[in-house]
């Protein structure tokens, strides 16, 4: 009788563990998606770091380009990066993969990379780069923020 009670408890513990752990692993991208999106984020950040704001806009997703015109992009990005200063250090702290559609955002696959960054004028910054998988199979930037 006691052995049956233990088996039930072990089974319930395993079910609870699966409920807790499964969502974390269900939203992990495969290595190819992770590598391709990471390379696209790196390319974008390199352009921004080198103040090639117009080129950075051209590598963005059409969703962003249709939302933010090139002139506005250059102006806002130049102002944000000027206030922060030049990059001294950047370290990726996290990434999130999702296929869940949010209100006002097109359906699709998204990767969101978070970085802890140090700039000359802003020593504790958080950069966020959001990428979306486009219809041609490439990852393109759909958003960039410095907090």
């Amino acid at each position: 009788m006691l052995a049956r009670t233990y088996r039930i408890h072990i089974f319930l513990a395993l079910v609870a563990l699966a409920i807790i752990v499964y969502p974390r692993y269900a939203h992990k991208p495969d290595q190819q998606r992770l590598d391709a999106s990471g390379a696209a984020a790196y390319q974008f950040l390199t352009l921004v770091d080198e103040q090639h704001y117009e080129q950075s806009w051209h590598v963005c997703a059409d969703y962003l380009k249709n939302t933010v015109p090139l002139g506005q992009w250059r102006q806002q990005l130049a102002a944000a990066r000027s206030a922060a200063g030049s990059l001294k250090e950047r370290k990726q702290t996290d990434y999130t993969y999702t296929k869940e559609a949010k209100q006002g955002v097109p359906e699709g696959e998204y990767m969101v990379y978070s970085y802890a960054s140090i700039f000359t004028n802003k020593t504790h910054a958080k950069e966020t780069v959001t990428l979306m998988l486009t219809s041609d199979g490439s990852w393109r930037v759909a958003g960039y923020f410095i907090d």
Side-chain angles (χ1 to χ4, degrees):
M1 185 75 169
L2 190 59
R4 181 173 183 222
T5 303
Y6 281 126
R7 284 190 302 230
I8 291 172
H9 284 113
I10 290 171
F11 174 76
L12 291 174
L14 290 173
V15 169
L17 184 62
I19 290 171
I20 293 168
V21 172
Y22 177 75
R24 177 77 175 151
Y25 289 99
H27 292 288
K28 283 200 169 232
D30 59 42
Q31 193 62 45
Q32 182 181 0
R33 281 178 166 74
L34 191 59
D35 292 344
S37 62
Y42 178 80
Q43 175 194 19
F44 171 80
L45 288 170
T46 300
L47 290 171
V48 172
D49 293 341
E50 294 173 355
Q51 300 179 359
H52 298 300
Y53 304 138
E54 185 169 336
Q55 286 178 290
S56 73
W57 184 82
H58 286 291
V59 300
C60 288
D62 287 342
Y63 168 74
L64 184 139
K65 291 192 266 187
N66 293 332
T67 306
V68 183
L70 175 58
Q72 182 181 351
W73 175 260
R74 277 193 314 241
Q75 181 183 24
Q76 290 177 343
L77 197 50
R81 290 303 295 259
S82 176
S86 59
L87 178 70
K88 295 175 84 174
E89 184 179 325
R90 175 183 292 127
K91 182 178 179 181
Q92 182 184 328
T93 57
D94 195 17
Y95 71 86
T96 304
Y97 170 77
T98 187
K99 290 183 180 180
E100 296 176 18
K102 307 261 188 226
Q103 185 176 357
V105 177
E107 289 188 25
E109 294 182 49
Y110 292 87
M111 288 289 298
V112 180
Y113 288 93
S114 299
Y115 302 89
S117 303
I118 299 172
F119 295 93
T120 53
N121 301 333
K122 192 170 189 174
T123 57
H124 292 83
K126 178 182 176 186
E127 290 179 286
T128 305
V129 181
T130 302
L131 298 108
M132 66 186 301
L133 185 61
T134 58
S135 60
D136 68 358
S138 61
W139 289 93
R140 298 195 178 269
V141 173
Y144 173 67
F145 304 96
I146 302 175
D147 294 331

